[in-house]
Amino acid sequence: MSELKALIFDVDGTLADTERDGHRVAFNKAFTELGLDWHWSVELYGELLVVSGGKERLHYYRDHYLSDFMKDEDWPEFMADLHRRKTAHYIELLKAGLIPLRPGVGRLIKEARAAGMVLGISTTTTPENVINLLSATLGEESVAWFSVIAAGDIVANKKPAPDIYQYALDALGLSADQCLAFEDSDNGIDSAVGAGIKTIITVTEYTLNQDFSKAQLVLDQLGEPDHPCRVIEGEVLTESFVNLHAIENLWYR
Ligand code: XBP
Ligand code: MG
């Protein structure tokens, strides 16, 4: 068993529950801003989450829900502009403090950092969304706690492809068996496990019925001392919430 050197976190759904009240709301604001009569309900957005990546999700929506919306040659620039506007609205939500970290996330990150562990991020969202989420929740200095922030278009193939996790491993100079990933979705675990990385899942309302048979552990959330987590699937957790001691017991069992 290799020594556990790094924790690599997914962002959307893992660090924070960003999709329903964050990205989805930002998309709808951008649609309104451009005078489009599109509206992504909570339910429709859940269907669209089958596609990782906001730009890719827009493309999927156009192809599967809109018949001949726009000439093909005009779509790429229109879509890119729409996504820039959406990102601006999303950052406003972050800066307004409307998207908090999930339980236990800040605690575990600070604990791992204090213990000298390497921290990384592997996400499909944009680097600016990551920087603004970390700054709004843990302070601007927290961005520098992460040795790599592998995000968005930095790789050609987004999750479920393993590329974004492989990019993080290469940047960290670590092998997959020295790292533990935290994810929330099937696309996410396929990506992490595809790169050979053991993974802990914290489900969200959008992902709780997905297939997590590849996960080391499936939880409802990381928990806090006064807010125990619940093990949904996988190996026994030796603590009532996920701290480094529980992780090491799991890792070196
Ligand atoms: C989840 C995603 C992202 C967000 C939207 O990323 O698929 O695309 O839904 O963000 P993660 P963008 O890998 O963190 O779970 O619009 O910036 O893509
Ligand atoms: Mg995610």
Side-chain angles (χ1 to χ4, degrees):
M1 172 60 67
S2 300
E3 184 185 356
L4 177 61
K5 297 264 193 181
L7 303 183
I8 304 177
F9 292 88
D10 163 54
V11 174
D12 295 303
T14 301
L15 289 188
D17 202 349
T18 59
E19 295 291 2
R20 188 192 68 187
D21 299 334
H23 290 297
R24 182 186 68 89
V25 170
F27 276 113
N28 286 331
K29 285 175 179 280
F31 300 155
T32 302
E33 186 180 347
L34 287 173
L36 299 166
D37 65 353
W38 308 350
H39 179 75
W40 287 358
S41 66
V42 172
E43 186 184 5
L44 171 58
Y45 193 67
E47 292 168 23
L48 297 174
L49 278 173
V50 67
V51 177
S52 281
K55 295 191 290 288
E56 293 78 4
R57 193 165 303 137
L58 285 166
H59 203 79
Y60 177 86
Y61 176 66
R62 172 186 181 256
D63 286 352
H64 292 79
Y65 291 81
L66 303 174
S67 52
D68 59 33
F69 165 65
M70 177 181 282
K71 289 199 301 292
D72 284 354
E73 60 266 27
D74 298 335
W75 171 251
E77 178 45 39
F78 179 85
M79 181 267 287
D81 173 60
L82 199 166
H83 192 256
R84 281 192 294 271
R85 294 167 185 264
K86 171 264 175 182
T87 299
H89 286 298
Y90 179 68
I91 289 170
E92 279 176 22
L93 296 171
L94 291 174
K95 288 184 172 174
L98 297 176
I99 305 176
L101 295 180
R102 294 191 66 183
V105 168
R107 172 186 52 72
L108 180 60
I109 286 171
K110 290 173 185 172
E111 186 186 354
R113 180 170 177 264
M117 294 199 74
V118 172
L119 295 172
I121 280 178
S122 285
T123 177
T124 309
T125 195
T126 59
E128 65 182 319
N129 284 351
V130 180
I131 291 164
N132 279 282
L133 173 66
L134 292 174
S135 301
T137 55
L138 292 171
E140 289 184 9
E141 70 282 359
S142 68
V143 176
W145 299 352
F146 295 84
S147 302
V148 62
I149 296 180
D153 296 333
I154 205 162
V155 292
N157 306 305
K158 295 183 176 177
K159 299 176 185 177
D163 301 38
I164 198 73
Y165 276 100
Q166 192 54 58
Y167 179 97
L169 291 175
D170 296 345
L172 294 173
L174 294 173
S175 57
D177 63 0
Q178 295 176 296
C179 302
L180 178 65
F182 292 82
E183 268 287 351
D184 73 297
S185 69
D186 50 5
N187 282 339
I189 193 167
D190 286 351
S191 179
V193 170
I197 303 172
K198 285 188 171 61
T199 304
I200 291 179
I201 290 286
T202 49
V203 298
T204 70
E205 65 172 305
Y206 278 132
T207 68
L208 55 86
N209 296 315
Q210 292 179 353
D211 173 14
F212 295 122
S213 52
K214 298 175 193 161
Q216 197 81 11
L217 192 57
V218 182
L219 305 168
D220 63 334
Q221 32 98 18
L222 292 180
E224 296 288 9
D226 59 352
H227 183 185
C229 62
R230 179 170 61 87
V231 176
I232 297 169
E233 248 182 84
E235 303 180 32
V236 172
L237 198 62
T238 57
E239 314 277 335
S240 62
F241 59 96
V242 178
N243 58 12
L244 271 193
H245 187 242
I247 287 172
E248 285 163 356
N249 284 339
L250 190 68
W251 186 266
Y252 295 109
R253 182 171 291 155

